Amino acid sequence: MLDGLDPEQREVALALSGPVCVLAGAGTGKTRALTHRIAYGVRAGILQPASVLAVTFTNRAAGEMRGRLRQLGAGGVQARTFHSAALRQLQFFWPKAVGGDLPRLLERKVQLVAEAAARCRVRLDRNELRDVTGEIEWAKVTQTVPADYPAAVAKSARDAPRDPAEIGQIYAMYEQLKRDRSVIDFEDVLLLTVGILQDRHDIADQIRRQYQHFVVDEYQDVSPLQQRLLDLWLGDRDNLCVVGDASQTIYSFTGATPDHLLNFRTRHPDATVVKLVRDYRSTPQVVHLANGLLSQARGRAAEHRLELISQRGPGPEPVYTEYTDEPTEAEGTARRIRDLIAAGVPAGEIAVLYRINAQSEVYEQALADAGVPYQLRGAERFFERQEVREALAALRGAARFGANDSLLDGAEDLPAQTRAVLSGRGWTGEPPAGSGAVRDRWESLAALVRLAEDFARAKPGATLSDLVGELDERAAAQHAPTVQGVTLASLHAAKGLEWDAVFLVGLTEGMMPITYAKTDEQVEEERRLLYVGVTRARLHLTLSWALSRSPGGRASRRPSRFLTGLRPGSGALGSAAAGGSGSIERGGGAAGRRRQRGPVRCRVCGTTLTEAGAMKLMRCEDCPSDMDEGLYERLRDWRSEQARELGQPAYCVFTDKTLMAIAERVPATGGELSSIAGVGARKLDRFGADVLAICAGGEGGAGDDES
């Protein structure tokens, strides 16, 4: 159980009693150290599996931990999120502590917050509604009641989205509506569990007898309410192991604070403290940049930063690229991604990370125009897709009937059995010729096949029943396998993930740090957010920014202050802090040069256009369209046929917006066609003749030989 651990990880695994604090940098194998620690304690007879509660912050992380513990022979250990563990206890003890059934859990509170605001005669638009809901969640995890909310906001120097007194009023009405309808929200799960454990010593004692040993991952993200619950679980004992990194504290807006991690040694003077600094994820070049970024940090978290040491061989230098405008930045990023895929990097091992979700549209357009498949993180949950639910039912049935299932004839190992069962649901050895929903369905089933292959390698001799159990665990934890496609995600959503190649985009003042980060503490959290983004990359790292938002706009933007001293020629640290002697590239190319003529204006009303979709159409979205509907439908039919032949989603040929622009402008020459955003040189060569023929009234052929 200790073989293969480095000296510091081994020290963690052997520290099985008393308080333990593990300060673990990004990519240092903390999950490996934790799971081997628990499994070693179980194998050695020091820990009883049922007496250990491992707590983390996401269902995905909890599912991964459970899977690793099962593989290490410690399957009886509970690994849950704070909310999941508390809800389980609340459901069990509610009849005894309160009586009757536990109130219904409110899955989404936004609708009830909207009703509360309406009753308070306050009108909220969609963004304000989201922000006020976030404020209510912050108040509850910091244990702030509605009457105290305005004072708490003032004390924390928090920027409230509306007048604090008004939000406090909405918060009070929201709580009243919940009571009237006998529902509770996710924060109530923690609050009510805390209340029961405080008031009912017999129940608290029963839980403490059950759980003798606690492990808390991502301890820098603990909120005051979660810490209170943890204290009640522990009682007067100190068998607690916490793991965290103050430099990865990026959720303070939700109430998380690194203070509990930083004060751990004050609260537990006899604690064993271990630092994990050997980075197994990233190359020396990426690690050097990450260290350089934190070397300029200020504040208490910065005082406890960890200097990472890469354990990998050398890789390429980080690339810094400056673009004229945002659409050009997106197109340049898409071209680089296409080149990486052509060089053998799987699309699923590439990510584009941005500060806010609103930045995704221009990258969706650019990737689609470049023919690169992508997936938005936070889209429909994998295990909730209809084809996945049907596949799980089929696998469960095959596992139940075993050798009596004719589908399994001749399928000797687990991957072969899985392929045999899923072939009846639409899986084939090669991707289908179709696109859209057909291709999406196949990708989901292919992800299940890959998962079965990985599971069989990790657990030789595993049966179909074992796989079904693994899938049920993952479905409960929403721990989905990887679907191939470039990941588009916000920096916050990227926490806990990693890729071979990462593109950090939009790194300008006002976006990184974000414009509303005004205090020193808020700015430092933005620096930590960028650090998290940098440390997601294993091998390739590109950092880029645009000097203006829209084509032809004034080049008034400046690169993020966090890059000063890191990007070549930007300060005293120079390229040394970035780990190399590269130079800043000037992005652009043909598309970039084409856009430098001046602002893009609506051809109907003359308004300057800034949104990617509007610039593609050369008109405001709500201005009248003169589109040739018949031409648009012929182009769509042609695109479907091309997508089938290429085995790609339709958007990889042309997006709907590009087809609309073509149908509105009806180009007659290659020059006119290439002037439409989304029709680059590559697509002009491949599809230009067909599109021009269709625009001229022809049917369009099969395109060139490559097509």
Side-chain angles (χ1 to χ4, degrees):
M1 202 54 63
L2 301 178
D3 288 347
L5 300 183
D6 67 31
E8 293 78 25
Q9 292 171 343
R10 188 184 182 95
E11 187 178 352
V12 172
L14 291 171
L16 290 170
S17 61
V20 179
C21 179
V22 183
L23 302 175
T28 56
K30 66 181 177 67
T31 304
R32 178 179 175 82
L34 281 184
T35 52
H36 279 71
R37 177 183 186 270
I38 294 169
Y40 176 74
V42 170
R43 292 283 190 91
I46 300 170
L47 303 177
Q48 296 302 313
S51 72
V52 180
L53 177 59
V55 187
T56 188
F57 279 80
T58 66
N59 286 324
R60 181 185 181 89
E64 181 181 353
M65 188 174 287
R66 282 196 298 272
R68 292 202 195 186
L69 287 169
R70 280 199 307 272
Q71 291 174 9
L72 293 172
V77 173
Q78 291 293 312
R80 297 182 175 275
T81 64
F82 270 102
H83 283 89
S84 173
L87 180 59
R88 201 162 181 245
Q89 293 172 13
L90 196 61
Q91 290 169 331
F92 185 81
F93 289 110
W94 184 269
K96 179 179 179 180
V98 181
D101 296 328
L102 179 70
R104 181 174 60 86
L105 184 62
L106 191 65
E107 292 290 339
R108 294 180 70 251
K109 58 174 68 72
V110 170
Q111 191 170 357
L112 204 59
V113 173
E115 184 176 342
R119 294 201 178 195
C120 294
R121 300 177 183 271
V122 177
R123 295 191 62 174
L124 301 175
D125 63 29
R126 186 167 59 181
N127 291 331
E128 289 176 321
L129 181 59
R130 181 196 62 207
D131 291 343
V132 169
T133 300
E135 286 301 293
I136 291 174
E137 291 173 350
W138 173 83
K140 298 186 76 165
V141 301
T142 55
Q143 303 171 84
T144 302
V145 298
D148 295 340
Y149 172 77
V153 168
K155 183 178 179 181
S156 66
R158 188 178 180 86
D159 276 336
R162 293 184 70 99
D163 176 52
E166 199 172 58
I167 294 177
Q169 186 182 12
I170 296 171
Y171 178 15
M173 179 57 70
Y174 167 74
E175 292 296 312
Q176 182 62 51
L177 289 173
K178 285 199 290 110
R179 286 191 293 272
D180 293 345
R181 296 173 189 183
S182 297
V183 295
I184 59 175
D185 60 27
F186 277 99
E187 290 72 39
D188 291 329
V189 170
L190 301 183
L191 286 163
L192 291 169
T193 305
V194 164
I196 288 175
L197 296 181
Q198 286 179 160
D199 295 343
R200 292 292 300 267
H201 298 293
D202 56 332
I203 293 176
D205 288 341
Q206 187 173 341
I207 289 176
R208 289 168 192 159
R209 285 194 298 272
Q210 168 72 47
Y211 296 115
Q212 305 290 323
H213 197 99
F214 295 85
V215 175
V216 183
D217 193 11
E218 304 288 1
Y219 194 55
Q220 78 277 352
D221 291 330
V222 167
S223 70
L225 178 56
Q226 290 165 333
Q227 180 62 47
R228 180 65 188 134
L229 178 59
L230 179 61
D231 289 339
L232 287 165
W233 282 340
L234 275 166
D236 58 2
R237 300 165 300 170
D238 64 358
N239 275 332
L240 170 66
C241 175
V242 301
V243 187
D245 178 9
S247 296
Q248 296 188 68
T249 305
I250 59 172
Y251 298 113
S252 66
F253 62 91
T254 67
T257 170
D259 289 346
H260 305 297
L261 175 66
L262 298 177
N263 294 336
F264 192 83
R265 282 168 288 186
T266 303
R267 295 181 64 187
H268 303 280
D270 58 338
T272 299
V273 179
V274 184
K275 293 184 179 181
L276 302 183
V277 295
R278 301 174 196 252
D279 188 315
Y280 297 95
R281 175 187 300 160
S282 306
T283 62
Q285 286 74 12
V286 173
V287 168
H288 206 173
L289 173 56
N291 287 336
L293 182 61
L294 285 189
S295 71
Q296 305 176 42
R298 300 291 180 267
R300 192 169 178 224
E303 294 170 3
H304 295 80
R305 71 184 184 90
L306 299 168
E307 188 84 14
L308 299 178
I309 305 170
S310 176
Q311 305 299 298
R312 294 190 55 171
E317 299 291 346
V319 175
Y320 300 85
T321 310
E322 182 175 279
Y323 293 93
T324 55
D325 53 70
E326 286 184 5
T328 305
E329 182 181 10
E331 288 183 3
T333 299
R335 283 195 300 272
R336 288 182 181 274
I337 289 173
R338 196 176 64 213
D339 292 344
L340 281 175
I341 293 173
V345 180
E349 288 295 345
I350 303 173
V352 178
L353 306 182
Y354 34 75
R355 177 60 181 84
I356 59 174
N357 286 319
Q359 292 171 273
S360 75
E361 182 190 4
V362 67
Y363 289 93
E364 292 178 59
Q365 288 279 346
L367 289 172
D369 290 343
V372 176
Y374 64 85
Q375 55 179 336
L376 275 168
R377 182 151 180 80
E380 181 187 18
R381 291 180 173 181
F382 181 84
F383 287 103
E384 292 176 0
R385 298 175 187 173
Q386 182 177 350
E387 65 268 21
V388 175
R389 293 200 304 268
E390 292 173 352
L392 287 177
L395 289 168
R396 197 172 288 113
R400 189 182 306 119
F401 291 107
N404 295 323
D405 193 322
S406 60
L407 280 172
L408 302 183
D409 289 346
E412 297 180 357
D413 60 4
L414 176 59
Q417 292 171 354
T418 304
R419 289 190 287 267
V421 173
L422 297 186
S423 65
R425 312 305 308 176
W427 179 85
T428 56
E430 295 294 327
S435 60
V438 174
R439 179 61 180 253
D440 290 345
R441 178 183 179 85
W442 183 88
E443 289 284 6
S444 296
L445 298 179
L448 289 174
V449 170
R450 288 195 298 273
L451 191 149
E453 292 168 348
D454 293 342
F455 187 65
R457 278 193 294 271
K459 191 175 181 181
T463 65
L464 205 55
S465 295
D466 294 331
L467 176 64
V468 168
E470 171 75 6
L471 292 173
D472 287 341
E473 286 277 355
R474 283 171 172 257
Q478 288 301 328
H479 181 193
T482 301
V483 177
Q484 287 301 310
V486 173
T487 298
L488 296 178
S490 70
L491 286 163
H492 282 103
K495 180 74 165 64
L497 303 174
E498 59 187 77
W499 296 270
D500 284 345
V502 169
F503 291 79
L504 301 176
V505 299
L507 301 181
T508 59
E509 284 292 306
M511 192 59 75
M512 176 56 66
I514 197 78
T515 186
Y516 51 75
K518 293 184 170 52
T519 67
D520 290 344
E521 189 175 331
Q522 290 168 339
V523 169
E524 286 306 313
E525 180 150 339
E526 292 288 298
R527 187 193 303 277
R528 294 194 295 269
L529 185 58
L530 180 56
Y531 172 79
V532 166
V534 168
T535 55
R536 300 310 94 195
R538 299 191 191 105
L539 182 62
H540 302 279
L541 177 62
T542 300
L543 306 93
S544 64
W545 58 93
L547 298 178
S548 66
R549 180 180 181 186
S550 56
R554 190 162 61 91
S556 58
R557 289 181 169 181
R558 292 182 293 115
S560 168
R561 70 189 73 170
F562 301 144
L563 301 182
T564 301
L566 300 177
R567 58 189 175 89
S570 63
L573 292 177
S575 60
S581 56
S583 60
I584 297 177
E585 298 184 4
R586 309 294 171 183
R593 289 192 295 275
R594 184 175 67 239
R595 286 201 169 96
Q596 291 174 12
R597 296 175 182 170
V600 178
R601 300 188 183 279
C602 174
R603 55 192 170 82
V604 180
C605 69
T607 301
T608 299
L609 303 175
T610 58
E611 299 300 326
M615 286 190 286
K616 181 162 286 192
L617 294 174
M618 294 292 288
R619 64 172 173 81
C620 303
E621 297 274 5
D622 53 359
C623 276
S625 169
D626 53 359
M627 182 174 70
D628 183 331
E629 296 284 353
L631 174 58
Y632 178 64
E633 289 304 319
R634 291 196 299 277
L635 288 168
R636 282 175 58 88
D637 291 343
W638 165 84
R639 180 182 66 172
S640 296
E641 181 63 30
Q642 290 294 319
R644 275 193 294 273
E645 290 183 9
L646 296 171
Q648 293 181 336
Y651 66 72
C652 287
V653 179
F654 285 120
T655 63
D656 286 345
K657 284 277 173 59
T658 300
L659 293 188
M660 289 174 66
I662 294 171
E664 288 185 355
R665 294 161 69 180
V666 196
T669 67
E672 292 177 1
L673 180 58
S674 67
S675 70
I676 296 174
V679 185
R682 172 175 164 274
K683 292 199 175 183
L684 184 65
D685 289 343
R686 174 175 281 195
F687 304 123
D690 278 7
V691 172
L692 291 173
I694 295 170
C695 290
E699 294 299 319
D704 59 19
D705 292 341
E706 183 183 6
S707 168

